[in-house]
């Protein structure tokens, strides 16, 4: 009896609730969006390349300096920003999860 109870607890801890289609150890991917702004005047920076280093994916900001990444696994990442006439910037420790789905980033000109 004790062994079967322990086996059931272990299975639940490892695999989650069988009636729940999402395992307890996995979180749903996040649609993360952001805006890149000039550090000096807070104007949007169209054309900025934004890369999530750990995932090797990148996008280009739209006319309003906005960007988005779909299906990003929850985690903490380094974002790399580059734009002609601006200092390339790495921002470490960007947390992405279900509560943090958008953020503003500021970069400075050369």
């Amino acid at each position: 009896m004790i062994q079967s109870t322990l086996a059931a607890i272990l299975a639940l801890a490892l695999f989650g609730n069988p009636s729940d289609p999402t395992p307890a150890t996995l979180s749903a991917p996040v649609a993360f969006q952001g805006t890149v702004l000039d550090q000096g005047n807070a104007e949007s920076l169209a054309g900025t390349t934004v890369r999530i280093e750990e995932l090797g994916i990148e996008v280009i900001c739209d006319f309003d300096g906005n960007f988005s990444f779909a299906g990003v696994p929850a985690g903490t990442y380094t974002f790399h920003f580059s734009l002609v006439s601006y200092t390339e910037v790495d921002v470490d420790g960007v947390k992405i999860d279900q509560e943090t789905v958008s953020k503003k980033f500021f970069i400075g000109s050369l």
Side-chain angles (χ1 to χ4, degrees):
M1 176 71 172
I2 292 176
Q3 287 178 343
S4 62
T5 302
L6 289 175
I9 291 171
L10 180 60
L12 185 59
L14 291 175
F15 304 111
N17 183 344
S19 64
D20 181 1
T22 305
T25 58
L26 298 178
S27 61
V30 177
F32 183 83
Q33 56 191 352
T35 305
V36 181
L37 304 166
D38 183 289
Q39 187 175 10
N41 60 22
E43 289 185 10
S44 59
L45 296 176
T48 302
T49 300
V50 181
R51 182 174 59 244
I52 300 177
E53 294 289 353
E54 292 81 358
L55 301 178
I57 56 176
E58 65 182 38
V59 296
I60 306 291
C61 291
D62 67 13
F63 182 76
D64 296 317
N66 298 316
F67 67 89
S68 63
F69 290 100
V72 178
T76 303
Y77 299 100
T78 299
F79 276 56
H80 178 82
F81 299 91
S82 61
L83 180 64
V84 174
S85 298
Y86 281 81
T87 304
E88 290 194 23
V89 175
D90 286 325
V91 178
D92 297 322
V94 178
K95 182 180 175 184
I96 297 177
D97 58 27
Q98 296 300 324
E99 285 101 39
T100 308
V101 295
S102 67
K103 187 170 177 64
K104 291 183 180 178
F105 299 91
F106 294 87
I107 62 174
S109 61
L110 292 176

